Amino acid sequence: MKLLLVEDDESIGEGLRLGLQGAGWRVLWVTHASAAQAALAAHEFDGVLLDLGLPDRDGLELLAALDNGSRPRPPVLILSARAHTRDKVAGLNGGADDYLTKPFDFDELLARLHALQRRAAGRPQPVLRFGALAIDPLRREVRLGGHAIDLTPREFDLLHVLAQRPGVVRSLDWLHDRLYDDHDVPASNAVQVHLHHLRRKLGAAWIENIRGVGYRFRPDGTAP
Ligand code: CA
C-alpha cells in the first residue's frame, strides 16, 4: 500500500517514514503542499497523511483542491497539532476522512490507517476473505485452506493491491508504481518476477494474466 506523507517537520517526517516503511507501507514523503499536489497528479495512493501547517499553503487548502484532480481521491488522515474542536470539525467537513492530533501514538495511527483502507474498500472486516483464501493486512499474513503461505514482503504487497479490487486488471506499470518508491531501482522485470513467485506459491488461478494488458485477482480462485 502506498502512502503520501505531507509533513514539513523533518524529525516527525523522518520518524513517520521509517515507522510506516517498517510496517510495510510504501511512503512518498513531501514537505510542501505544491509537491504533494504534483505527487497526487503523478501517482495513485492508498492514503494521504496530511499536516495542516505547511510552508507554502495550509493543508486545508490542499484538501479542498484534491477533489478537482482527475484521479480517485485517496482517503486523507489529517495529522495536526491543531487540537481544538473547531479545527477537527473544519478538517473533517473539509473532506478529511480522519483526524489525529499531535503528539500521537504510532500504533493508533497505524490502526486508523488500516481502518481507512477498509472503509475505502467498502469492507468492515480487517481480513480479506475469498473462499479458502484469507489475506490479513495488519499481520501481513496469507492463509489458503487454513495453511500459512510464506510470501516475501513484495509478494504480499502485490497480492494485497490486486485483491483490494478483485477483477480489475492492473498493468505492470501500475503495479510497479504501487510497489516501489522513486528512490528504489529494481530490475526492469522485478514485478514480473515477484508475480511469478506469487502465482507459484498461491496457485496461478488466483491471479490471471491478461496477455499484453496486465493482471487481475480472481476472487473465486478458479481458472477462467
Ligand atoms: Ca507543520
Side-chain angles (χ1 to χ4, degrees):
M1 298 283 109
K2 191 161 183 152
L3 272 185
L4 177 63
L5 169 61
V6 191
E7 171 61 75
D8 63 309
D9 184 294
E10 290 287 331
S11 70
I12 295 175
E14 182 63 8
L16 278 172
R17 188 180 66 80
L18 290 173
L20 290 163
Q21 283 177 343
W25 296 79
R26 310 259 81 76
V27 180
L28 179 62
W29 173 27
V30 296
T31 55
H32 287 62
S34 56
Q37 258 189 312
L40 285 160
H43 305 281
E44 203 173 304
F45 292 93
D46 298 291
V48 180
L49 280 184
L50 179 63
D51 179 29
L52 292 181
L54 298 169
D56 53 343
R57 265 167 100 189
D58 194 86
L60 287 177
E61 283 178 48
L62 175 65
L63 191 61
L66 281 188
D67 287 325
N68 301 324
S70 54
R71 293 172 184 278
R73 187 167 85 59
V76 176
L77 190 157
I78 291 177
L79 206 49
S80 176
R82 298 179 197 165
H84 200 282
T85 300
R86 67 166 177 269
D87 295 312
K88 297 181 190 172
V89 168
L92 293 167
N93 282 345
D97 300 272
D98 202 356
Y99 196 113
L100 193 57
T101 52
K102 297 171 181 169
F104 57 90
D105 185 292
F106 186 72
D107 285 338
E108 181 179 356
L109 173 66
L110 268 190
R112 285 174 182 271
L113 276 175
H114 280 284
L116 279 187
Q117 297 302 301
R118 295 201 294 274
R119 234 178 289 157
R123 58 184 171 83
Q125 308 84 359
V127 178
L128 287 82
R129 292 184 196 280
F130 307 94
L133 180 67
I135 304 167
D136 185 337
L138 261 177
R139 295 190 176 80
R140 295 178 64 80
E141 287 174 358
V142 175
R143 291 185 162 265
L144 185 59
H147 299 286
I149 307 284
D150 189 21
L151 298 182
T152 66
R154 298 286 193 208
E155 290 161 9
F156 180 89
D157 290 341
L158 267 177
L159 177 62
H160 188 200
V161 295
L162 286 167
Q164 286 262 319
R165 298 283 185 274
V168 175
V169 181
R170 303 298 196 182
S171 69
L172 285 172
D173 280 349
W174 188 92
L175 290 168
H176 191 279
D177 188 54
R178 276 311 176 87
L179 243 58
Y180 297 102
D181 304 321
D182 287 345
H183 56 264
D184 291 328
V185 189
S188 61
N189 66 341
V191 173
Q192 275 158 301
V193 171
H194 293 309
L195 276 166
H196 172 78
H197 291 305
L198 174 61
R199 296 176 87 209
R200 184 174 50 75
K201 291 179 182 178
L202 202 63
W206 288 98
I207 295 164
E208 185 184 1
N209 179 9
I210 313 291
R211 216 164 282 281
V213 184
Y215 293 81
R216 71 177 165 197
F217 179 77
R218 294 186 58 86
D220 52 359
T222 54

